[in-house]
Amino acid sequence: MFQGKEVMILESVSKEPKGRENVAGRVKGLFNRRSKAQALALSFGLALSLGSNGVRADINTVPLVAPLYHGGDLLQKQLFKGLELSVTTGRDLAIFSVAGMSLDAYILTLPLDAPTKARVIARLSDPFYSIPLGHFLYLFYDRYSRAENRDQFRDYLLSQYSEEQIAPWQHSLFSLEEQVKDNTEPTAEANDRREGMTLNRQLVAMLVTVYDRLFNNDDWALGKKLPEHYRYLGNTPEDLALIADIQPLIITEIGKYVGSLPEGDMRSALELIIEDGKAENAAKVNNKAQAITVTLIDFVRLNVLKAYRQYALPAQRAKAFSAWMQASLKEDPKGLSDFLASWSQRPRAVQITVDGLSQGLMQALVAPNSGPYLKEVLARDAALSQLTPASAMGRPQHTPKQDFLRQLVKNGVTDQYYLPFFKSLYRRSENGIATGGISSTPTISVRNLPIIKTGAALSGKGGTGIPNFHFVDRTRDRAYYFFGNDALQLENLVESRGMRTMFDRLNYLKTLNCNAQYDWNAQTSFDALVNLGLGEVIRDFGEQRCLNELSLRAEAEKGLQHSVAAVREQLEAYDRMGAWRLFSRMSLRAKLNEQLNELALLSEQAMPDYLLIYNPWPDHFAHFKGPFSDEIIAPTGELNRLDYWLGRLDKVYRDAGIYPQTLWGMAGDHGLAPVYHTLNPELVLQDALKQRGVELKISKISSDEGEGPKITNNINPPSLHGVDLVIASTAGGNYMLDFFNSDRGWQVQPLYQELTRFKVKGGKALDMVSLLADELQESLDYLVVRQSDCTLDSCSVRLVGYRNGQRRDEMINRESGVIRYQALDGKGAPELLALAQSNPYLAPLSDVQLSAKQQLLELCLGSAKGCSAEQWRSLAAMSPRPDAVVQLAHLYDEDRAGTINLFPKEGFGYNTLVPGRHAGEHYLEKDAFIGFWGEPSKPGQRLGPLDNGSLAPTLYQYLTGEQVEVGDNGWGYPSVLSSLNLR
């Protein structure tokens, strides 16, 4: 009765979690009944055609690897090739709900002005208008309301420890004191928060108003086919007209909000935006009112498209899968049964990215007495905190509380509730954890996170093109700084370079993103910016919602496995049935077609093939509280909080029954080091220039670490022509300077020789390299500048720094796969990178290691021949600066990596107010975690030093069976799957 018809399948969005919890039971019942199957209600409400679409089955082409099914060819080339996502997928849909009520009823509750409210209600009858709006609101209301908004980690601790046990480890982020209860009548907003709505109704109303303005005609309607990529606003006449139409609305809403704020920086910043919104300021360069408007329009349009894509894709996939299985049933029922058997055991992968996760620190915390790490941290803390610099410097605004660190060093820890997941991980899977994770230089999150998530290189075709948290694009005359509204430009920038995400590569598989950026092609996604914006105030905000989603999917997975078994039994019966039993075969095939359709629908709600999770909090709080503070390493700290959620995630996969075929991988993007003394190099430079009677026009494009974000107008940014120097800093470590004095043109990066004769007014020539090195020598580890132009094939960089009061100039030259590192001052072997020294945080080298190191020192530093990157990496791994030579040899692969990069000494921070830093060249910030585990992984020996960029390609190869070749298909890092010795 369903053949050739469109069936309306409706379910209230507000009831979806309950429906999904019961889905396994409903499907089990379905396969045990002889009557006609009822349409299975699925999320969002779908309108699906249940007839055959002519898809031809070819079971014989399904590749088998061991007994496991790798679905690359089948899914890519047969089932899901050419799927077109369109609004017509669900255009018959007339009813769905937001916040437990129908869409029109929900719109009536919003504080919209009367004309807008009436217009929106009237337009809801148009599916091209109402369906994207409904799913956009679902994305920002219902999807983020499936949690209690309680601090579940806190509840867990209080269930395991007595208050007496936990009391010593209270700190600024954890207290035993309950919040004072307010017995007053709850407001609408209080109800919203209790129900999980963390975006207040005023903001939702503004989003709806902006949506209505954007979609009020056919100019930007989604049409019958969704675009493959989002087009960001530009300065075309059409875009400028749209911006001018929306801007008054935004300024009016900001004006309403400003009145509720106390005097302070936030209110002043918003008042400046309102001032820029006046008509007389319309042509102002870097107009902040226009900047905010552009950002909000891009945010709304991008997320409308993203939300609808995530709604439409499962329906299209289920339809294609169902049609393929039904065609296979007709042609080869035995082959279909074999396929389902292997498909149910297919590989799965979980990729976890943790900001600021260090391997050395985690190994020291799970086994405090296994090495000198923690003792060395405490010893250096005592020495550096008591140091009195000769020049004027400041100190961080916060002094870390490190009671737990002292406890660990003095007595160790035997607490079974402290890091139980990591302890088990190191005990069971230590061989899969690299002895040292290599974070690319500078160790900046915005630089390294896309590398970890995608496996792309920084430079070249398919690279990220993001060298730092900030950069100057000389071709466009545009400075970028990604702490602020420029963060929304990141996906546009990496896409323009051809970077491919795991979601792009695996778009034929079922994927889920939890709180990570670069998620355009994810099938289901929890937004990274929403998590960052709300997760600090509502602890575990993103983690709760991700785990809730996975828990529902785990239940669906159990039902799916039962369904597969039931279908296979029916297929065997069908295959045994003689051809002469024509009507019996026809009846059973009709029943099987129903079951296959239900199975296809259920498969979209079950566990993902690939999961990406991003956790920003260890890094975020380590900056403000200190990397070894109680807020980070105590039982009540962020690392034990991370451990708790990893344990919860592990349990979901075990409960779902797919743990045996899941490969897990986790990487950090860097570690962190403490800051005891602070200064702003630009102030030191300005004073030195003033003493010489010189004044430069300097533009600072970044905030100091600990300060607020910056707003940049992407349509009309400030020009850098006429600026002598652009400076920017990140994370308290790296400090980047862009000069524009090259004889070869404004767009060309100056070389060392050009910087030694920097021309200023009056015809003077200054040696800017010497000026910086001399004035900053007390705090400067070294600076790095191009000696020659740099390409992917060759480069020479000069390092300048002081050791024992003497200036050292050293050169790293890279050409034809050979790297040379040598001193330029004739004073013996180079020493700025401390290759001859041992790493005091690690156990002393064995006699064998000492012998190997001496041989490498003689080979790489004792001759002019140089060494390969692998040899330099082996040598640097036995020093305090992992991979320093190779990383600095590639520092300027990307032209936008600045003219001069400054790296501060241990204990010093540039342009920072906080006690934690990274982006420098110290071991603590260079060392990142990277490891693999799970039942498929059985490495025979421990992984050595490893780029954290190898995380994604290893998991990709496991999922697809495809070989990964560096330099091909956008891959910048190798897979290490062969080293995992898969069972």
Side-chain angles (χ1 to χ4, degrees):
M1 64 180 287
F2 296 124
Q3 294 291 327
K5 295 183 179 180
E6 282 196 349
V7 178
M8 183 70 66
I9 304 177
L10 301 175
E11 180 172 83
S12 169
V13 173
S14 65
K15 296 179 181 178
E16 184 201 9
K18 181 178 180 181
R20 289 178 61 174
E21 288 166 2
N22 294 330
V23 74
R26 295 204 305 272
V27 173
K28 183 176 180 179
L30 170 73
F31 285 93
N32 289 335
R33 293 196 303 268
R34 293 182 176 274
S35 61
K36 286 282 187 179
Q38 300 298 315
L40 177 64
L42 296 177
S43 63
F44 303 103
L46 307 177
L48 300 179
S49 174
L50 302 185
S52 171
N53 64 356
V55 175
R56 188 169 179 81
D58 189 2
I59 289 290
N60 294 325
T61 66
V62 178
L64 294 175
V65 179
L68 297 180
Y69 154 73
H70 284 276
D73 284 346
L74 177 71
L75 299 180
Q76 265 185 302
K77 298 176 182 178
Q78 295 185 50
L79 269 68
F80 303 134
K81 181 180 179 181
L83 284 185
E84 291 188 356
L85 304 182
S86 67
V87 175
T88 56
T89 299
R91 66 178 304 166
D92 290 334
L93 183 62
I95 302 173
F96 55 90
S97 67
V98 177
M101 58 188 80
S102 64
L103 181 57
D104 55 352
Y106 177 69
I107 295 296
L108 290 173
T109 69
L110 296 176
L112 298 162
D113 61 77
T116 300
K117 185 174 291 188
R119 187 168 59 249
V120 172
I121 292 296
R123 289 174 177 165
L124 292 182
S125 60
D126 179 359
F128 288 103
Y129 179 91
S130 60
I131 293 174
L133 173 61
H135 293 288
F136 176 59
L137 293 179
Y138 171 84
L139 183 68
F140 284 96
Y141 195 109
D142 283 89
R143 179 170 290 180
Y144 293 107
S145 67
R146 297 181 192 161
E148 300 175 337
N149 283 346
R150 288 181 58 86
D151 188 336
Q152 294 187 12
F153 173 63
R154 184 180 189 278
D155 292 345
Y156 162 76
L157 291 179
L158 294 177
S159 71
Q160 306 298 328
Y161 296 95
S162 68
E163 289 196 5
E164 183 180 5
Q165 290 173 315
I166 206 70
W169 311 126
Q170 296 180 89
H171 45 70
S172 61
L173 300 178
F174 182 91
S175 173
L176 288 173
E177 295 181 8
E178 291 282 355
Q179 293 182 345
V180 177
K181 294 183 179 179
D182 185 356
N183 294 321
T184 59
E185 189 68 23
T187 63
E189 284 194 20
N191 282 327
D192 281 344
R193 179 169 291 277
R194 185 175 65 249
E195 294 165 5
M197 175 55 187
T198 53
L199 304 174
N200 63 43
R201 292 173 184 270
Q202 191 65 47
L203 178 57
V204 174
M206 184 172 70
L207 293 175
V208 170
T209 306
V210 172
Y211 176 92
D212 181 60
R213 292 284 187 94
L214 293 174
F215 293 82
N216 62 0
N217 53 48
D218 291 333
D219 292 343
W220 212 83
L222 295 183
K224 293 186 177 181
K225 183 177 179 181
L226 295 176
E228 285 296 317
H229 304 282
Y230 174 68
R231 184 188 70 80
Y232 288 78
L233 287 173
N235 56 1
T236 65
E238 296 79 10
D239 285 351
L240 293 174
L242 176 64
I243 295 164
D245 180 50
I246 299 293
Q247 183 172 308
L249 165 68
I250 305 302
I251 298 304
T252 298
E253 295 300 326
I254 291 175
K256 295 176 184 177
Y257 180 62
V258 164
S260 65
L261 293 177
E263 295 294 332
D265 292 342
M266 177 62 75
R267 178 165 183 156
S268 297
L270 292 177
E271 288 174 344
L272 288 175
I273 293 173
I274 293 172
E275 180 67 22
D276 276 1
K278 294 179 179 179
E280 60 267 28
N281 294 324
K284 179 180 175 182
V285 173
N286 204 33
N287 184 294
K288 298 294 193 295
Q290 187 183 61
I292 289 295
T293 303
V294 169
T295 297
L296 186 59
I297 292 174
D298 276 333
F299 179 80
V300 170
R301 297 203 309 184
L302 175 64
N303 281 283
V304 166
L305 286 174
K306 191 182 292 185
Y308 191 79
R309 286 170 62 87
Q310 292 177 17
Y311 149 70
L313 184 58
Q316 297 280 21
R317 286 169 48 87
K319 183 177 179 179
F321 192 22
S322 176
W324 180 86
M325 288 191 292
Q326 291 182 40
S328 300
L329 168 64
K330 183 177 180 181
E331 297 185 10
D332 187 359
K334 176 64 166 60
L336 177 59
S337 179
D338 292 343
F339 162 77
L340 289 174
S342 62
W343 176 74
S344 64
Q345 298 298 313
R346 66 192 182 278
R348 315 289 183 109
V350 177
Q351 180 175 346
I352 305 164
T353 303
V354 182
D355 213 319
L357 187 65
S358 163
Q359 194 287 133
L361 174 60
M362 296 313 302
Q363 185 158 334
L365 292 177
V366 300
N369 298 319
S370 61
Y373 189 104
L374 297 177
K375 292 180 180 179
E376 185 67 19
V377 167
L378 201 56
R380 297 205 175 208
D381 176 78
L384 289 167
S385 62
Q386 295 172 18
L387 175 69
T388 302
S391 54
M393 295 190 192
R395 284 186 177 269
Q397 294 179 346
H398 174 76
T399 300
K401 179 177 180 284
Q402 299 182 147
D403 294 343
F404 189 70
L405 173 62
R406 296 183 181 89
Q407 167 77 13
L408 284 174
V409 172
K410 183 179 180 180
N411 300 320
V413 61
T414 56
D415 185 347
Q416 63 177 315
Y417 304 118
Y418 181 62
L419 300 177
F421 179 85
F422 276 100
K423 288 176 181 175
S424 174
L425 181 62
Y426 275 91
R427 184 175 62 252
R428 292 182 293 105
S429 306
E430 186 176 36
N431 282 355
I433 302 171
T435 55
I438 298 171
S439 174
S440 76
T441 297
T443 55
I444 305 293
S445 298
V446 169
R447 173 191 174 103
N448 279 293
L449 286 175
I451 290 173
I452 297 172
K453 294 171 185 174
T454 70
L458 173 71
S459 302
K461 185 178 179 181
T464 71
I466 308 293
N468 211 314
F469 214 99
H470 40 71
F471 62 79
V472 174
D473 185 335
R474 295 176 181 232
T475 303
R476 191 186 167 194
D477 185 18
R478 164 76 152 93
Y480 289 89
Y481 177 60
F482 300 109
F483 183 41
N485 66 327
D486 270 351
L488 200 63
Q489 296 297 320
L490 280 168
E491 297 204 32
N492 188 32
L493 290 168
V494 298
E495 184 180 300
S496 70
R497 287 298 189 95
M499 185 192 86
R500 299 186 67 194
T501 71
M502 288 285 276
F503 299 115
D504 299 335
R505 296 179 185 277
L506 300 172
N507 61 356
Y508 55 92
L509 296 182
K510 186 169 43 181
T511 59
L512 172 62
N513 171 57
C514 289
N515 312 318
Q517 280 185 290
Y518 313 111
D519 62 336
W520 175 257
N521 273 320
Q523 181 175 315
T524 303
S525 186
F526 291 87
D527 189 78
L529 298 180
V530 171
N531 181 53
L532 285 171
L534 297 172
E536 183 176 352
V537 178
I538 305 173
R539 295 315 316 270
D540 306 326
F541 176 86
E543 291 79 6
Q544 289 187 47
R545 283 145 183 83
C546 177
L547 263 293
N548 284 356
E549 174 75 19
L550 286 168
S551 296
L552 295 172
R553 288 178 175 272
E555 290 302 310
E557 183 70 36
K558 296 175 188 177
L560 178 64
Q561 296 301 327
H562 177 87
S563 302
V564 168
V567 166
R568 293 192 66 216
E569 288 182 8
Q570 296 280 15
L571 284 170
E572 291 175 8
Y574 180 79
D575 196 43
R576 290 193 305 267
M577 194 173 290
W580 58 272
R581 299 177 60 184
L582 178 62
F583 291 106
S584 296
R585 282 179 63 87
M586 290 177 60
S587 176
L588 182 53
R589 191 169 79 186
K591 179 180 179 181
L592 274 167
N593 282 337
E594 285 187 20
Q595 294 175 340
L596 292 172
N597 185 69
E598 300 293 351
L599 188 152
L601 293 172
L602 183 57
S603 72
E604 293 302 312
Q605 287 199 330
M607 293 292 283
D609 298 300
Y610 168 74
L611 168 66
L612 173 62
I613 294 179
Y614 170 58
N615 186 311
W617 305 119
D619 168 83
H620 177 82
F621 289 109
H623 277 292
F624 290 93
K625 306 301 180 181
F628 305 110
S629 65
D630 288 356
E631 284 89 344
I632 304 302
I633 69 171
T636 53
E638 292 305 306
L639 292 177
N640 205 29
R641 183 184 291 270
L642 168 68
D643 186 279
Y644 166 74
W645 285 106
L646 290 175
R648 291 273 304 272
L649 179 64
D650 178 274
K651 185 176 185 302
V652 167
Y653 270 74
R654 293 180 186 275
D655 290 347
I658 61 172
Y659 191 89
Q661 64 255 41
T662 301
L663 181 63
W664 300 69
M666 180 165 63
D669 56 341
H670 55 74
L672 288 103
V675 172
Y676 303 91
H677 309 284
T678 66
L679 79 159
N680 285 44
E682 71 274 11
L683 300 181
V684 176
L685 177 61
Q686 287 171 338
D687 287 344
L689 292 171
K690 186 176 181 180
Q691 292 172 15
R692 291 162 174 77
V694 175
E695 185 175 345
L696 297 183
K697 186 174 182 181
I698 300 176
S699 175
K700 182 178 180 179
I701 63 174
S702 62
S703 304
D704 289 355
E705 190 70 19
E707 290 183 339
K710 285 186 176 290
I711 298 173
T712 303
N713 189 326
N714 192 50
I715 302 296
N716 187 17
S719 173
L720 299 174
H721 282 283
V723 173
D724 297 305
L725 171 62
V726 171
I727 60 103
S729 59
T730 298
N734 174 260
Y735 189 98
M736 195 167 81
L737 303 94
D738 268 275
F739 290 91
F740 302 91
N741 69 310
S742 175
D743 297 332
R744 297 169 293 167
W746 186 87
Q747 293 185 357
V748 180
Q749 288 283 3
L751 304 179
Y752 169 75
Q753 290 297 336
E754 293 173 307
L755 293 169
T756 61
R757 54 178 190 270
F758 186 87
K759 295 177 182 178
V760 296
K761 289 181 180 179
K764 287 184 179 180
L766 289 179
D767 182 346
M768 297 302 297
V769 175
S770 294
L771 185 63
L772 288 164
D774 294 346
E775 295 295 328
L776 296 171
Q777 69 173 279
E778 185 176 19
S779 64
L780 181 68
D781 197 358
Y782 48 78
L783 63 80
V784 186
V785 59
R786 293 173 182 83
Q787 185 76 18
S788 68
D789 290 325
C790 293
T791 68
L792 293 178
D793 298 321
S794 64
C795 183
S796 292
V797 298
R798 177 181 289 248
L799 282 63
V800 181
Y802 278 80
R803 293 295 183 268
N804 300 316
Q806 298 294 314
R807 172 170 164 167
R808 300 304 307 267
D809 283 60
E810 300 172 357
M811 178 89 75
I812 299 176
N813 174 268
R814 169 176 56 83
E815 190 167 6
S816 301
V818 175
I819 300 175
R820 299 173 181 84
Y821 173 38
Q822 57 193 5
L824 295 177
D825 48 20
K827 297 178 181 177
E831 60 176 327
L832 290 177
L833 300 185
L835 294 177
Q837 298 178 21
S838 297
N839 190 336
Y841 292 89
L842 303 182
L845 298 177
S846 67
D847 290 342
V848 173
Q849 290 173 317
L850 285 170
S851 176
K853 180 174 182 178
Q854 186 58 41
Q855 291 179 28
L856 286 170
L857 285 169
E858 293 173 0
L859 175 65
C860 298
L861 297 180
S863 71
K865 294 182 179 180
C867 281
S868 68
E870 195 59 39
Q871 289 169 322
W872 283 113
R873 175 165 291 181
S874 298
L875 174 57
M878 295 181 279
S879 81
R881 302 178 188 275
D883 207 36
V885 176
V886 176
Q887 292 298 322
L888 293 177
H890 289 275
L891 178 63
Y892 292 116
D893 283 1
E894 175 62 46
D895 189 62
R896 302 186 293 192
T899 308
I900 298 177
N901 279 265
L902 309 180
F903 296 96
K905 288 180 180 177
E906 178 186 5
F908 292 84
Y910 286 160
N911 290 52
T912 183
L913 307 173
V914 297
R917 84 170 205 202
H918 54 89
E921 287 292 279
H922 190 264
Y923 164 73
L924 294 179
E925 50 203 332
K926 290 289 295 178
D927 178 52
F929 183 100
I930 178 169
F932 302 91
W933 69 94
E935 291 188 15
S937 175
K938 302 294 180 184
Q941 60 184 13
R942 188 163 182 183
L943 297 177
L946 183 64
D947 285 298
N948 52 16
S950 287
L951 180 66
T954 301
L955 297 176
Y956 176 85
Q957 185 175 346
Y958 173 73
L959 280 173
T960 66
E962 297 177 17
Q963 292 294 319
V964 172
E965 298 293 338
V966 175
D968 290 344
N969 200 23
W971 291 114
Y973 293 86
S975 164
V976 296
L977 192 68
S978 61
S979 299
L980 300 184
N981 193 26
L982 297 187
R983 63 171 176 81

